[in-house]
């Protein structure tokens, strides 16, 4: 006799449910039971699924089975049922099972489940944004745990002997030790961190756990250098006793100053900042140790640890990370779905070994990124420099006091918000990161002022330096660099942004800063700080894109006031940015000072001239303009719209290429409608996303042109684009506080507003087409990008990049293939000069292709090649070579200088081009 719930499932199977949830009469034969239904009930019983979840999950399965591609779901019935149960349980807040229990019941891995869930989400209403958020959290937690466990296994292999001597007691076998360590770490991570996807703090906490247990280990179990360190501690009697007493916390704190040898070794091995790890040890790990029960040997009881972790795991209902110890199949990464390896296109080079880029582990990548930031800030201080003080003193109103007070007050706010997000025990970690941000803030401020001084020949920046929004934005930008550096996630292998609780725009919310105001500082920040890494620049560029896509269009944004003022100033015919400028390159001389201080654009003749007085400054330009000419559009608004149009077209072109490449004539029509909406119906962007308007424009034009393109198809292609979020098409504002899918938005809002305009494209007199924007590469130069030597037979010069380990503040390769040894490494000793001879010959052979200008000029000529020649030779003479190793070493310094001049010359050329446009 089948169990009772089976009959309920059968009844649910037979009902035809209305959208309101009511059922109608069962169809003939609807009560017939099938084997699959019995298995569905068995699965629900195993997971203790309540009736409400069972019924809705079954209806969800029925809708999937009736859709296109149903045979695929029929072949994987059990997996489909599991996904449906998971989706409904989250939506109804009735999770009676953990994620691991679900995976066990389905006998599939984490990666397989996520991949199948993605395949199921073919309709926009199958998976809610609430489920998306839960899945995103699970993915991030899994990625962090997987990366940390792999690091944990490798590290323990470097610490402990595979076969320790027989004198080691049975209670200290390697299996038991690993289990004890790992569960202690999991429990510490769960209790200390509210934000469990923080890879860096989690790894620092893991080092604290390793330090604690290494000191309790018999030296006979350990490899060097840990054996010597622990032997020395044992000889001093400072290893095990302090942690056995009742007042272990106080004594451990007292001992730590003399017991830092082990943690120093661990930090050095993993390029981890010692002060930061000590901070985690004292503020988080020591309080955690006090809460544990300890056995007579000083080790926490495994059973006690496991029981406490079990309570935490059942409360969170997510992943049982203890199963990593058993290499459980549910936690094993899928080689294809979860691969973290970098894939770099390679050219086939005959007779030479292909140089494969060695992959970095997530932890190593995170530590290297932090080391890069530390190298940038090595010479910076957390107080204004003498140069900055001099700028402050030159101001009409000295801004020093207000700057220092602002830094102090925002520091308190940051520390509080950081602790709320990460964990109350991590407040001091927040303070450390804030100080790094302050150092970068002062460093960039000084560079900005030097740049403005050179550009304008002025010394008084009183108005700029007394502008609160400018300073808050600049400090927020510096802190965003720090937060992104430390917030690198375990799934981030290519520098792209991955969301965490501290991700942008978290810093804007902390400082109550408007996204449009923050945007104004980004470009200048990048241009005046040449030491920013490629990943840092790309992150800030992505922040700028997010602002242009949605953040600047929020209801409380000053952007709407600027647009309104612009239209009122010149009448309704005025536009934020004329379409005639779209197909021109995006070049300008505007800096952050202009964007923060100049509400209007100065006449071009004035802009290209030199100030007549030494007291002139950027803030004086608007008043001068108002006396000579009627105010024009806001500089910040004009530049913003130029960038928005280029970003909008770039995204449209990418999506169009995926969907409508066979209809090239439609792209200019879609772009014209898209651009018209952004410029003239900008209210449609309020609290919405740029991509929502893009998809609606594409659908509308295809509709009137009788091209069969469904919204479902558009959404499916859109999901494959980089930097997209499913909430963009699943949750669109319809009217105040009412959200629905993008299809509903199109029908109820977009089409109603633009119906007349859309129908014009079907007539014999369509609207005038908007020019296609000029789309350059990223406007920001990447200092780490390979740079081609002109006419140099495919010779490129670039810095060493991953996979390299930082040592003593410099990068040096840890592994080199025979092929890669031909790469020229500035500052590294090579054995012979043959490589340079080969490169020198290649450069010289291309001499005939280089045309030099014969016209005399005082301006510096761009360098045409690297100077690999010996002293006294012409740069084209490749006939002589370096006679000995010492000469070769002498040329390394010359190469470094040459490369610096090339970069500076390229930057100067770019500035000259920009200046010509303004004249």
């Amino acid at each position: 006799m089948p169990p009772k719930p089976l009959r309920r499932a059968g009844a649910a199977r037979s009902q035809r449910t209305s959208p309101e949830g009511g059922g109608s009469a069962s169809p003939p034969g609807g009560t017939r039971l099938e084997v699959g239904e019995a298995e569905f009930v068995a699965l629900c019983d195993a997971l203790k699924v309540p009736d409400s979840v069972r019924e809705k999950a079954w209806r969800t399965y029925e809708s999937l089975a009736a859709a296109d591609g149903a045979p695929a779901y029929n072949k994987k019935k059990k997996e489909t049922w599991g996904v449906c149960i998971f989706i409904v349980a989250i939506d109804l807040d009735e999770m009676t099972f953990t994620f691991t229990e679900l995976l066990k019941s389905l006998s599939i891995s984490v990666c397989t489940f996520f991949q199948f869930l993605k395949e199921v989400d073919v309709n926009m209403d199958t998976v809610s944004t609430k489920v998306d958020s839960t899945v995103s959290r699970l993915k991030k937690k899994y990625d962090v745990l997987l990366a940390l466990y792999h690091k944990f296994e490798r590290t323990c292999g470097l610490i402990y002997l595979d076969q320790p001597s027989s004198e080691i007691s049975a209670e200290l076998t390697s299996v038991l030790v690993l289990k004890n360590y790992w569960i202690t770490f999991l429990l510490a991570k769960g209790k200390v961190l509210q934000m469990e996807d923080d890879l860096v703090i989690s790894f620092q906490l893991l080092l604290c756990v390793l330090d604690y247990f290494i000191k309790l280990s018999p030296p006979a179990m350990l490899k060097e250098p840990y054996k010597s360190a622990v032997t020395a501690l044992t000889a001093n009697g400072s290893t095990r006793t302090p942690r056995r007493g009742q007042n272990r916390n106080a004594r451990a704190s007292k001992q730590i100053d003399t017991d830092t040898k082990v943690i120093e070794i661990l930090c050095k091995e993993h390029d981890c900042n010692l002060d930061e790890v000590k901070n985690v040890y004292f503020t988080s790990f020591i309080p955690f140790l006090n809460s544990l029960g300890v056995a007579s040997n000083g080790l926490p009881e495994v059973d006690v640890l496991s029981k406490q972790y079990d309570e935490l795991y059942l409360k969170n209902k997510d992943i049982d990370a203890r199963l990593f110890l058993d290499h459980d199949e549910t936690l094993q990464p899928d080689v294809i779905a979860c691969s973290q390896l970098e894939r770099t296109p390679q050219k086939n080079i005959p007779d030479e070994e292909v140089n494969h880029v060695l992959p970095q582990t997530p932890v190593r990548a995170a530590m290297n990124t932090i080391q890069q930031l530390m190298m940038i800030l090595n010479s910076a201080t957390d107080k204004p420099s003498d140069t900055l003080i001099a700028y402050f003193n030159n101001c009409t109103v000295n801004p020093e006091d207000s700057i220092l007070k602002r830094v102090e007050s925002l520091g308190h706010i940051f520390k509080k918000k950081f602790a709320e997000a990460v964990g109350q025990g991590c407040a001091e970690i927040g303070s450390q990161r804030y100080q790094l941000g302050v150092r970068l803030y002062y460093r960039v401020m000084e560079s900005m002022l030097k740049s403005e001084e050179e550009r304008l020949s002025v010394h008084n920046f009183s108005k700029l330096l007394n502008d609160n929004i400018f300073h808050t934005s600049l400090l927020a930008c510096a802190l965003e660099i720090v937060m992104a550096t430390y917030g690198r996630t375990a799934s981030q292998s290519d520098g792209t942004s991955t969301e965490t609780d501290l991700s942008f725009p978290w810093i804007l919310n902390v400082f109550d800063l408007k996204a449009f105001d923050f945007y104004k500082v980004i470009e200048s920040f990048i241009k005046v700080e040449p030491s920013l890494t490629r990943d840092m620049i790309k992150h800030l560029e992505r922040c700028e894109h997010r602002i242009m896509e949605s953040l600047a269009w929020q209801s409380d944004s000053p952007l709407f006031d600027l647009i309104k003022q612009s239209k009122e100033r010149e009448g309704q015919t005025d536009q934020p940015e004329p379409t005639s400028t779209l197909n021109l390159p995006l070049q300008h001389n505007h800096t952050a000072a202009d964007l923060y201080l100049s509400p209007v654009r100065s006449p071009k003749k004035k802009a290209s001239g030199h100030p007549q007085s030494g007291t002139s400054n950027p803030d004086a330009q608007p008043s001068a303009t108002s006396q000579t000419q009627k105010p024009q559009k806001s500089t910040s608004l004009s530049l913003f719209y130029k960038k928005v149009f280029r970003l909008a077209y770039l995204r449209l072109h990418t999506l169009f290429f995926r969907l409508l490449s066979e209809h090239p004539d439609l792209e200019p029509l879609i772009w014209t409608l898209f651009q018209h909406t952004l410029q003239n119906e900008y209210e449609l962007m309020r609290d919405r996303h740029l991509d929502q308007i893009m998809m609606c424009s594409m659908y509308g034009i295809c509709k009137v042109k009788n091209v069969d393109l469904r919204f479902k198809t558009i959404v499916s292609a859109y999901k494959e684009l980089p930097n997209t979020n499913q909430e963009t098409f699943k949750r669109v504002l319809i009217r105040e506080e009412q959200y629905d899918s993008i299809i509903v938005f199109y029908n109820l809002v977009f089409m109603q507003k633009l119906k007349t305009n859309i129908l014009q494209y079907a007539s014999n007199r369509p609207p005038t087409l908007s020019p296609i924007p000029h789309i350059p590469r990223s406007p920001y130069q990447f200092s780490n990008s390979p740079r081609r030597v002109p006419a140099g037979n495919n010779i490129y010069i670039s810095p060493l990049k991953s996979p390299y380990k930082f040592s003593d503040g410099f990068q040096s390769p840890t592994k080199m293939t025979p092929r890669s040894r031909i790469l020229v490494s500035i500052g590294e000793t090579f054995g012979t000069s043959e490589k340079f001879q080969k490169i020198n010959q290649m450069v010289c052979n291309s001499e005939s292709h280089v045309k030099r200008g014969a016209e005399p000029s005082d301006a510096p000529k761009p360098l045409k090649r690297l100077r690999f020649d010996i002293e006294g030779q012409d740069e084209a003479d490749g006939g002589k070579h370096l006679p000995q190793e010492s000469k070769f070493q002498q040329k390394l310094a010359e190469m470094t200088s040459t490369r610096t001049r090339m970069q500076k010359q390229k930057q100067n050329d770019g500035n000259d081009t920009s200046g010509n446009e303004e004249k």
Side-chain angles (χ1 to χ4, degrees), residues 384-541:
S385 65
D386 292 341
T387 303
L388 273 180
I389 296 296
Y391 279 118
F392 297 162
N393 291 335
N394 285 334
C395 292
T396 305
V397 178
N398 194 312
E400 184 176 359
D401 287 343
S402 64
I403 289 174
L404 295 176
K405 288 179 181 178
R406 184 184 298 106
V407 168
E408 182 181 4
S409 63
L410 291 178
H412 294 309
I413 296 173
F414 181 90
K415 180 178 178 180
K416 178 184 176 183
K417 295 293 185 180
F418 185 91
E420 289 175 358
V422 181
Q424 291 301 325
C426 301
E428 290 307 314
I429 299 175
S431 291
Q432 284 183 325
R433 296 190 185 175
Y434 184 76
Q435 289 307 312
L436 291 175
V438 169
R439 288 161 65 181
L440 184 58
Y441 160 70
Y442 284 131
R443 174 187 168 102
V444 174
M445 188 197 306
E446 182 175 325
S447 297
M448 277 189 176
L449 294 177
K450 287 180 179 178
S451 176
E452 288 296 290
E453 186 176 27
E454 293 176 3
R455 186 174 74 105
L456 300 168
S457 300
V458 299
H459 310 283
N460 183 355
F461 298 100
S462 183
K463 191 171 182 181
L464 176 67
L465 292 178
N466 282 283
D467 189 293
N468 178 61
I469 295 178
F470 164 71
H471 284 290
T472 307
S473 300
L474 183 60
L475 179 56
C477 196
L479 283 166
E480 182 57 32
I481 287 291
V482 174
M483 300 305 290
T485 300
Y486 279 88
R488 186 184 180 98
T489 65
S491 60
Q492 193 174 344
S493 59
D494 60 356
T496 57
S497 179
T498 304
E499 295 295 309
T500 68
D501 291 346
L502 300 182
S503 293
F504 185 80
W506 179 81
I507 192 65
L508 302 186
N509 298 328
V510 170
F511 288 168
D512 193 22
L513 183 64
K514 303 302 180 188
F516 183 74
D517 290 326
F518 178 82
Y519 136 84
K520 298 175 186 178
V521 82
I522 294 176
E523 184 171 338
S524 290
F525 192 103
I526 293 173
K527 288 183 176 179
V528 303
E529 182 45 74
S531 299
L532 293 180
T533 66
R534 180 186 180 91
D535 284 351
M536 293 174 185
I537 294 174
K538 287 180 73 68
H539 175 75
L540 286 182
E541 188 175 22

Side-chain angles (χ1 to χ4, degrees), residues 727-742:
E727 188 167 319
T728 303
F729 55 83
K730 290 182 178 180
R731 190 173 185 271
V732 188
L733 178 67
I734 306 301
R735 55 183 62 91
E736 188 175 357
E737 297 183 0
Q738 180 187 343
Y739 295 84
D740 212 313
S741 72
I742 193 168

